[in-house]
DNA sequence: CGACATGTTGAACCTCATCAACCGACGTGG
DNA sequence: CCACGTCGGTTGATGAGGTTCAACATGTCG
């Protein structure tokens, strides 16, 4: 077992995560109960409708949140990356299944201890609130993708979304913009579940983007973005033609 | 101009809305700056990306939040009903267009005054936080609808969602369950935009549900739910066959 | 009345899902 | 070592569900 403070001191997401709101003393309090855990890819953190006994920060890796229909169809409603927070305040049971998409490291806080800390510390509350608002915006952006975009646009948007994230994490590639390389954290099936498509369609769209010289792929999991502007256009973020502003 | 306190005293959403967290004194402070406004159906409250100078409670009627792609495709990402809250904390500009779907009454709070009140009152903050979490859950539930459901399921889900809401508002129809009647707050086009479909498809699905005796329609805007269980099945909430639990 | 918005219906088309075959990588066991 | 089964990924053929385009119906307002 890692000792608490040691854990927080070396934590790579110390400042970006919700705990960034805490001062030294408060961090000690949190660290006393926090525990690092490694989760292997594919492991399920908690099932749908299962009560969750703890909160957690994602320290590294990617976690999927998925919902499923009674007949087995399922959709991944969110991906959680490095400084993201896992857990639902004000509700004991939660409506998602959380699963490690890659090998994952999380920092787990027991429910009651964390809630006490939240109750005492307004800064922490604010961070959680901000985060949930950001998630809400992200969810609604994704709704547009799911409801209105074509298969190509969906995949292009997904790749752009990943590129954007990796740029934010690793620093942007200056103005010289060398081609960003992204490692897909999801299998084809998982991508399909995230985009509301089937595996086959996802494959074909990868193919199309490759043929159009927008991307390049060495490994099945490694994507090089050859033409960022084309990707953005393919994603439907800017119109290929003139921008149509809907009339009042 | 209505005087503040009078406004809050007679407010039908006084307790359910976020201001339910305030005691009498604080309510006075809010009421001093709050203003009732009536908005006609079709009016736009604020445009996408436009900074918003105020927050508001929905007192009556329905507000649509929609996002649009540069080429004009658009999706309604949320409907706001009576005690709902309109506004985005921690962000001056917002990513949605807000439009009155029906005639609407809202209670408007100037941005800074309201924010000051929020800063002073933890109960209010908590309410806002809870609300945003609920919205997040709702958004993600809707993502499943948009990403995985068929046209029939989408419309049935929408009707169920409305029925549920009206039951919650008007009290449930006992166990005797007389057929719930719902008035559609949206036109066909608007429903289509909400469900990620086209007008034509929405029409055809209405037709199908009518043929199947699940619903009945007098007016174009009045839907009687003849068979609630069939509606729930059509919505895909429970499997028509045996429930398949995905294997671990 | 005609012009316009909203809703409905029909027919043709197209995207994407479905079903099936196949490929390569990997691990296991003979 | 190779045969094998399995799993993830790719490709092809086919078909259904939903979009698109067009016509028409209905209701409303000038």
């Amino acid at each position: 077992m890692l000792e608490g403070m040691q854990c927080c001191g070396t934590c790579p997401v110390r400042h970006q995560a919700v705990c960034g709101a805490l001062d030294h003393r408060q961090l000690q309090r949190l660290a006393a109960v926090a525990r690092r855990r490694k989760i292997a890819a594919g492991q399920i953190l908690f099932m749908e409708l299962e009560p969750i006994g703890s909160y957690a920060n994602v320290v590294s890796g990617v976690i999927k949140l998925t919902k499923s229909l009674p007949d087995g169809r399922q959709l991944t409603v969110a991906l959680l990356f490095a400084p993201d927070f896992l857990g639902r305040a004000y509700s004991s049971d939660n409506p998602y299944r959380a699963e490690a998409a890659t090998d994952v490291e999380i920092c787990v806080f027991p429910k009651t201890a964390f809630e006490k800390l939240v109750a005492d510390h307004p800064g922490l509350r604010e961070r959680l609130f901000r985060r949930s608002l950001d998630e809400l915006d992200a969810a609604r952006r994704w709704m547009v993708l799911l409801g209105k975009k074509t298969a190509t646009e969906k995949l292009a948007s997904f790749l752009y979304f990943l590129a954007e994230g990796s740029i934010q994490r690793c620093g942007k590639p200056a103005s010289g913009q060398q081609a960003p390389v992204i490692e897909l954290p999801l299998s084809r099936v998982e991508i399909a579940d995230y985009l509301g498509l089937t595996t086959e369609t996802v494959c074909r769209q990868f193919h199309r983007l490759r043929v159009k010289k927008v991307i390049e792929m060495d490994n099945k999991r490694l994507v090089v973005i050859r033409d960022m502007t084309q990707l953005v256009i393919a994603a439907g973020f800017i119109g290929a033609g003139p921008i149509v502003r809907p009339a009042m």
Side-chain angles (χ1 to χ4, degrees), chain A:
Chain A
M1 285 290 151
L2 286 163
E3 195 209 306
M5 265 327 270
Q6 180 186 3
C7 165
C8 288
T10 64
C11 181
V13 295
R14 161 86 180 81
H15 293 288
Q16 297 88 303
V18 285
C19 23
L22 302 174
D23 65 28
H24 190 72
R25 223 181 60 73
Q26 287 146 344
L27 197 63
Q28 270 185 317
R29 222 177 113 190
L30 181 62
V33 294
R35 288 291 171 264
R36 275 284 182 83
R37 278 188 60 196
K38 284 176 194 282
I39 316 270
Q43 288 297 104
I44 291 181
L45 305 196
F46 50 80
M47 289 295 287
E48 211 159 332
L49 298 181
E50 181 179 275
I52 8 175
S54 49
Y55 300 98
N57 273 330
V58 180
V59 177
S60 71
V62 181
I63 293 176
K64 289 189 304 175
L65 298 186
T66 60
K67 288 179 79 73
S68 33
L69 259 17
D71 64 358
R73 283 174 288 177
Q74 55 175 17
L75 188 90
T76 295
V77 295
L79 293 185
L80 268 41
F81 289 87
D84 286 344
F85 182 78
L86 178 64
R88 166 67 153 93
Y90 304 121
S91 169
S92 55
D93 55 344
N94 80 303
Y96 321 114
R97 180 161 53 87
E99 186 183 338
T102 65
D103 287 350
V104 161
E105 231 175 329
I106 57 178
C107 183
V108 183
F109 318 115
K111 193 172 175 57
T112 49
F114 187 74
E115 279 167 3
K116 244 175 245 157
L117 199 66
V118 171
D120 291 353
H121 198 70
L124 188 52
R125 269 200 306 271
E126 185 187 316
R127 286 232 179 186
L128 288 170
F129 189 17
R130 289 186 111 99
R131 220 160 246 286
S132 80
L133 288 173
D134 288 341
E135 281 185 291
L136 180 57
D137 283 345
R140 286 175 171 170
R141 248 177 286 128
W142 212 250
M143 284 170 69
V144 177
L145 177 145
L146 293 170
K148 289 275 123 165
K149 291 198 173 179
T150 65
T152 318
E153 288 173 330
K154 283 180 176 180
L155 185 61
S157 301
F158 174 62
L159 294 177
Y160 179 78
F161 161 70
L162 288 179
E164 193 185 36
S166 88
I167 285 171
Q168 240 169 39
R169 244 166 281 126
C170 315
K172 50 182 62 177
S175 57
Q177 63 173 4
Q178 72 268 27
V181 179
I182 51 189
E183 183 176 356
L184 301 176
L186 303 182
S187 72
R188 296 294 186 265
V189 192
E190 289 172 316
I191 295 174
D193 279 346
Y194 191 35
L195 300 178
L197 298 171
T198 59
T199 332
E200 296 92 328
T201 311
V202 170
C203 275
R204 290 183 179 113
Q205 301 310 327
F206 266 120
H207 187 76
R208 278 183 113 185
L209 289 177
R210 239 180 306 133
V211 169
K212 283 194 193 168
K213 306 283 183 197
V214 179
I215 62 170
E216 204 170 282
M217 301 183 62
D218 313 353
N219 192 316
K220 316 263 173 216
R221 289 272 189 151
L222 270 189
V223 176
V224 184
I225 300 186
R226 288 215 75 64
D227 190 337
M228 199 50 151
T229 50
Q230 275 309 110
L231 184 71
V232 173
I233 291 174
F237 290 134
I238 55 177
I243 293 187
V244 179
R245 198 159 264 297
M248 285 279 295

